[in-house]
Amino acid sequence: MNDAVHAVVQRVISGGRHGPYAVARSEKVEGSITFSLLGSVWQERVAPEPGEIVYLTDLRRKRAGWRAMGGRYLRPSDQQTATRRQQ
């Protein structure tokens, strides 16, 4: 699955074994999606907070759930693009 999804951040873990990361959920994906908050994955300067909506890309299935290899905050243009695709 290489699609991008909108997801709601559930938790932010600052002291993970491989660095800080966040856990999110999306209606389009069964289970949780984790993503690193290091600069190689998270494209923003500020880490997300629980309840914020993020845009996650390049999802990969792992044994414990999904992993997003790219992430950033949701932008108004993301919603416009999704609306155009549905039409």
Side-chain angles (χ1 to χ4, degrees), residues 31-79:
S32 62
I33 307 166
T34 61
F35 58 99
S36 172
L37 297 177
L38 298 177
S40 59
V41 175
W42 184 243
Q43 300 170 18
E44 308 287 351
R45 291 186 349 212
V46 178
E49 296 179 8
E52 290 186 314
I53 300 174
V54 293
Y55 185 78
L56 302 174
T57 59
D58 194 16
L59 270 55
R60 298 181 185 177
R61 181 76 174 154
K62 295 289 196 171
R63 186 175 29 204
W66 291 93
R67 174 104 21 97
M69 304 312 289
R72 61 177 169 77
Y73 287 118
L74 185 66
R75 297 186 180 115
S77 60
D78 297 328
Q79 293 179 317

Side-chain angles (χ1 to χ4, degrees), residues 1-57:
M1 174 179 206
N2 285 331
D3 294 344
V5 296
H6 302 165
V8 178
V9 175
Q10 303 294 307
R11 294 181 314 196
V12 176
I13 294 83
S14 59
R17 189 168 70 183
H18 299 289
Y21 69 97
V23 180
R25 291 206 174 264
S26 172
E27 293 177 358
K28 296 187 178 192
V29 175
E30 184 178 330
S32 62
I33 307 166
T34 61
F35 58 99
S36 172
L37 297 177
L38 298 177
S40 59
V41 175
W42 184 243
Q43 300 170 18
E44 308 287 351
R45 291 186 349 212
V46 178
E49 296 179 8
E52 290 186 314
I53 300 174
V54 293
Y55 185 78
L56 302 174
T57 59

